[in-house]
């Protein structure tokens, strides 16, 4: 319980400071992603970490999530909630952190963690590629251009997730 809580709090602080430095404001959505990043970063080794290590892992995850969101936005990958940054980038960081901070920390453990990252990455890529090919062949992966413009919240759920709010005088 202690290490995830410390990592989450440190992730929020790391993300806030990084966002404030780079974006000139303490962005709330970045801070919330920092909390998630800290949790993702500590998960692989939560049982092995000391309190100080969990704070460092969470803080670094918070920094990484902000940097990753900025890079992913710049290369125009569609990830409006930062899921790739939180789960992929900080998941890789957390797996490496086991080799750097864990009970068996050292060169051999880092190599083992890198092998694990590569193996899971290769499996996930191949499995997802095949799965998406099957889904594309059976039912397609894209919605119509009209539904894309209108928004999937309306087409799929019959509601607006972000309605356009108007002042009371204009209603």
């Amino acid at each position: 319980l202690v290490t995830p809580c410390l990592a989450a709090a440190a992730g929020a602080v790391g993300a806030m400071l990084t966002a404030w430095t780079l974006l000139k404001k303490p962005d709330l959505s970045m801070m919330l992603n920092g909390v998630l990043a800290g949790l993702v970063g500590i998960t692989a080794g939560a049982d092995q970490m000391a309190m100080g290590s969990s704070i460092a892992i969470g803080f670094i995850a918070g920094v990484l999530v902000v940097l990753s969101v900025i890079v992913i936005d710049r290369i125009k990958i569609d990830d409006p909630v930062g899921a790739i940054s939180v789960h992929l980038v900080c998941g890789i960081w957390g797996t490496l952190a086991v080799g750097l901070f864990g009970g068996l920390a050292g060169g051999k453990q880092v190599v083992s963690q890198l092998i694990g990252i590569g193996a899971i990455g290769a499996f996930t890529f191949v499995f997802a590629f095949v799965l998406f090919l099957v889904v594309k062949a059976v039912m397609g992966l894209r919605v119509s251009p009209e539904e894309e413009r209108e928004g999937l919240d309306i087409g799929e759920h019959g509601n607006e997730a972000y309605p356009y709010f108007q002042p009371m005088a204009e209603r």
Side-chain angles (χ1 to χ4, degrees):
L1 175 66
V2 172
T3 55
C5 288
L6 289 173
V13 172
M16 179 192 67
L17 293 174
T18 305
W20 210 338
T21 301
L22 298 177
L23 307 174
K24 308 300 181 219
K25 61 182 178 172
D27 188 310
L28 178 62
S29 66
M30 290 292 194
M31 289 173 60
L32 294 173
N33 271 344
V35 170
L36 294 173
L39 290 169
V40 169
I42 197 65
T43 297
D47 62 329
Q48 301 178 33
M49 302 303 165
M51 289 187 287
S53 295
S54 64
I55 292 168
I57 291 166
F59 187 88
I60 292 167
V63 171
L64 287 174
V65 77
V66 174
L67 297 175
S68 177
V69 164
I70 291 169
V71 168
I72 287 172
D73 283 349
R74 282 195 182 142
I75 61 175
K76 305 224 185 279
I77 292 177
D78 187 19
D79 185 18
V81 296
I84 295 170
S85 300
V86 169
H87 297 286
L88 178 64
V89 173
C90 293
I92 290 171
W93 159 243
T95 304
L96 284 175
V98 172
L100 298 171
F101 296 96
L104 302 172
K108 288 178 113 177
Q109 187 63 37
V110 171
V111 170
S112 292
Q113 297 305 111
L114 286 169
I115 291 169
I117 291 166
I120 295 298
F123 169 80
T124 303
F125 178 82
V126 170
F127 184 82
F129 187 79
V130 170
L131 180 68
F132 282 120
L133 280 177
V134 170
V135 170
K136 184 177 181 181
V138 171
M139 59 190 281
L141 289 173
R142 306 248 351 160
V143 297
S144 69
E146 295 80 29
E147 190 173 7
E148 193 171 343
R149 270 192 303 280
E150 187 176 66
L152 292 181
D153 50 339
I154 292 173
E156 296 288 319
H157 306 288
N159 270 318
E160 285 186 75
Y162 302 99
Y164 295 105
F165 295 101
Q166 299 173 356
M168 291 297 289
E170 294 180 24
R171 290 185 190 177

